[in-house]
Amino acid sequence: MIGIFDSGVGGMTVAHAIEKLLPDYSLVYFGDIARTPYGPKSPKTIINYSIRNTEFLLDKGAELIIIACNSASSVATDTLRQRFDVPVIEVITPAANRAIATSRNGRIGIIGTRATVKSRVYHTQITEERPGFKVYQEACPLLVPLVEEGWLNKRETKMILRRYLHPLKNRQIDTLVLGCTHYPLLKKLIQSRIGKKVKLIDSSTETALYVKEYLKENPKTVSKQEQVSHRYFASDKTETAMKVAERIFSRPMEIIVA
Ligand code: DGL
């Protein structure tokens, strides 16, 4: 079984992509809705939450963990890999690799939470691989609460996006990484604000593709069950979170509070 966690509903964009790309695998998801957002919190707190989330998923039978949250991926990956005896896949590497392969002019923009931007993990990964590339980051702390609130097409959201993306528009980037698994829900707005010439890299779909490749190369890591199950747990359940979840999956969702 594949285990997936995020600070809230954003990681469901990864889970949804996994359901579609790997229909033969069962998955268990945990969204830490009670503690969302992670982005403004200290690395120590995010690491502690990530350990708890992983323990929960292992307890439910997960054999591989996907950290479907850029904030947690940027600060907690090493700890989880040291502490737990299962493969831990994060969302940064797949998105950074795709950005490198996509950019023609070597100018890449990153948008993410404060935790992700502060860690400079995208910057490090991209410039280690391509020392000549320029990476421009912009923290967008208001976007996760807006998505969790379901404000996906409001005038205020468009105004905030315009403000966040303005500095990147002057950098001649040709590629922009959506370095937060909540942002695919704002993809259309982001594309229209940044301009259609800029290619958007979605860390959620890239991670699902990466996991598919990983399982092709390591087929024994995750067992296939006769009866495929997709179970969704969360530390809290709110009306708005449910609406966003149902929008991601385009179906009624059952979320179990744990
Ligand atoms: N979806 C998480 C991410 O990818 C949001 C983090 C947060 O809760 O701030 O970064």
Side-chain angles (χ1 to χ4, degrees):
M1 189 182 302
I2 298 173
I4 306 173
F5 78 83
D6 176 46
S7 63
V9 292
M12 287 183 182
T13 56
V14 178
H16 180 52
I18 296 274
E19 276 192 11
K20 284 214 290 207
L21 272 180
L22 295 161
D24 300 339
Y25 288 92
S26 289
L27 73 81
V28 54
Y29 181 92
F30 182 75
D32 202 3
I33 291 175
R35 294 176 194 85
T36 197
Y38 281 8
K41 301 198 167 70
S42 69
K44 193 170 163 233
T45 300
I46 301 175
I47 291 170
N48 284 337
Y49 290 167
S50 302
I51 292 172
R52 252 195 281 170
N53 299 343
T54 305
E55 282 169 348
F56 176 85
L57 293 171
L58 294 177
D59 200 47
K60 294 281 177 229
E63 299 157 283
L64 172 145
I65 299 293
I66 303 174
I67 314 175
C69 171
N70 285 258
S71 310
S73 293
S74 10
V75 298
T77 303
D78 291 347
T79 308
L80 298 187
R81 285 190 177 146
Q82 278 157 20
R83 202 168 169 127
F84 299 104
D85 205 17
V86 294
V88 174
I89 291 178
E90 40 78 26
V91 286
I92 313 281
T93 308
N97 288 347
R98 179 69 66 197
I100 290 169
T102 303
S103 179
R104 294 281 155 258
N105 70 0
R107 302 173 76 84
I108 296 173
I110 310 290
I111 51 172
T113 65
R114 278 213 181 93
T116 301
V117 166
K118 243 184 166 170
S119 75
R120 293 177 68 77
V121 62
Y122 276 107
H123 190 280
T124 309
Q125 284 207 15
I126 293 170
T127 53
E128 262 174 23
E129 196 67 33
R130 292 281 190 284
F133 273 31
K134 292 266 178 269
V135 179
Y136 303 99
Q137 312 189 98
E138 209 49 52
C140 309
L142 294 173
L143 298 186
V144 169
L146 286 169
V147 170
E148 293 274 336
E149 200 49 46
W151 282 32
L152 302 178
N153 207 14
K154 296 251 188 212
R155 200 162 57 94
E156 291 82 352
T157 309
K158 292 179 188 166
M159 275 162 58
I160 289 167
L161 263 177
R162 185 172 305 130
R163 179 98 182 245
Y164 281 147
L165 295 175
H166 180 70
L168 292 174
K169 281 196 82 143
N170 297 330
R171 299 289 192 179
Q172 285 95 42
I173 55 165
D174 70 352
T175 306
L176 176 65
V177 177
L178 308 183
C180 173
T181 53
H182 282 69
Y183 298 174
L185 287 148
L186 299 170
K187 213 173 194 168
K188 268 201 197 136
L189 291 190
I190 293 172
Q191 187 77 72
S192 74
R193 290 288 166 284
I194 197 71
K196 56 178 185 303
K197 283 196 189 131
V198 176
K199 284 250 185 288
L200 299 189
I201 308 295
D202 175 343
S203 61
S204 304
T205 25
E206 293 310 327
T207 302
L209 289 166
Y210 187 93
V211 172
K212 189 174 179 185
E213 275 311 300
Y214 181 88
L215 289 177
K216 218 190 266 170
E217 280 161 32
N218 305 276
K220 294 221 172 88
T221 341
V222 179
S223 41
K224 287 187 186 167
Q225 286 150 341
E226 237 167 69
Q227 201 74 342
V228 174
S229 72
H230 297 145
R231 287 181 300 158
Y232 288 84
F233 292 90
S235 49
D236 196 6
K237 195 155 109 175
T238 62
E239 222 173 276
T240 42
M242 284 307 294
K243 271 197 199 140
V244 178
E246 287 173 2
R247 186 169 179 142
I248 293 170
F249 289 91
S250 315
R251 67 168 193 249
M253 291 293 291
E254 198 202 338
I255 296 184
I256 306 154
V257 178

